[in-house]
Amino acid sequence: MAKKGRVFSGARPTGRQHLGNYLGAIQNYVKLQDDYDCIYCIVDIHALTTMETTRDLKQNTIEMALDWLAAGIRPDESIMFIQSHVPEVMELHTMLSMVTPLGKLTDLPTFKEKVREQPNNVNYGLVGYPVLMAADIMLYKADFVPVGVDQAPHIEFTREIARSFNYRYGKNVLVEPQMKVTKVPKVLGIDGAQKMGKSLNNHIEIAATPEETQQRVMQMVTDPARIKRNDPGNPDVCNVFTMHKIFSSPEEIEMVNTECRRAGIGCVDCKKLYAKNLNAHLEPFRARRAEMAEHPQDVWDILEDGAKRARSIAQETMREVHDAIGLP
Ligand code: ADP
């Protein structure tokens, strides 16, 4: 069946993925494959803008690739590759930088946030981050980019660069990508307050063992007003209940909802049930992942093959770009 267009998405190699990545990105990646030609990129060059050391870069790359593949990215159908394996992106980044007003870059909220986060490392790459992102998207002539609302300004920015480039050089070479705003949940960490993330160490890795998973789940913060076992709880403010709604059966969700409110079920049993259901959901994923992890070379081969296919699209775009600019 003909697909509806090309999707591009990139994520920094952050190693083993957590439930936030899984529910917020990976599941969507997997689903999009049914309707679109998908290109999924592990953006290692982007990662350099914030990294203190590259010691774990390779390991983090393969761990993330394993998670993606085991979760259902189909490498024969989709293109999955490492950003630095297609060096044309750096070239397009340079070309695009010539049509990008500097003030626009320094005005972006994400840039200002990074400046606050790493005041001692406000590097040139950080300013150009959205230009490199634009290069990624346009190098592969992506029609759609799946994004959360926080990324919207970057895509709008990419569209502006495409327009500026096409106008400046008088040719319609670069495709203006469209945002594919996906309603993804903001997954909270085990602290029940902040967004799940590795840096906060409030995450649950999807490749963790069932025992590790249960242990992490048992640490989850529930309704803070429920102190004693016999206090009635409020599922509406409890992150464990939010997760039940994703991983438990309708009957279990109903049971937890009712019994929590009248203290019929305690937080310990409620968490045990969630851990059991989460582990059951992740079991097939973990089995596939363990099998693939035994043959890491196969994963590197998949990434290499992806890079080859990505590169042939990239080289074609670059020929058109050179031609449009009029480079001798
Ligand atoms: P990057 O900065 O490259 O996007 P992240 O690890 O921060 O790397 O995120 C990768 C993907 O996972 C993004 O699409 C992001 O929105 C999603 N994600 C990360 N953490 C969460 C979370 N707690 N809830 C929902 N989605 C999340």
Side-chain angles (χ1 to χ4, degrees), residues 10-12 14 18 20-21 24-25 185-187 195-196:
R12 289 171 303 145
T14 49
H18 53 69
N21 303 133
K186 176 175 154 191
V187 181
K195 190 173 162 183
M196 184 178 282

Side-chain angles (χ1 to χ4, degrees), residues 19 22 34 74 161 167 172 181 187 190 214 221 235 250 258 288 310:
L19 267 182
Y22 180 68
D34 296 337
R74 302 187 285 270
I161 298 185
Y167 179 74
N172 243 350
V181 182
V187 181
I190 59 172
Q214 163 135 356
V221 172
T258 319
R288 276 193 300 274

Side-chain angles (χ1 to χ4, degrees), residues 9-14 17-26 29 43 46 64 68 114 129 146-148 150-151 184-189 194-198 202:
S9 183
R12 289 171 303 145
T14 49
Q17 300 290 281
H18 53 69
L19 267 182
N21 303 133
Y22 180 68
L23 297 171
I26 302 173
Y29 280 9
V43 294
H46 272 115
M64 187 157 104
W68 282 9
K114 285 287 175 231
Y129 196 106
V147 285
D150 53 332
Q151 285 288 323
V184 287
K186 176 175 154 191
V187 181
L188 297 182
Q194 303 191 76
K195 190 173 162 183
M196 184 178 282
K198 271 202 173 168
N202 64 357

Side-chain angles (χ1 to χ4, degrees), residues 28 85 91 125 144 149 151 165-166 178 208 242 252 318:
N28 189 36
H85 290 192
E91 193 186 352
F144 301 100
V149 275
Q151 285 288 323
F165 183 96
N166 290 341
Q178 289 179 44
T242 306
E252 286 167 329
M318 286 318 292

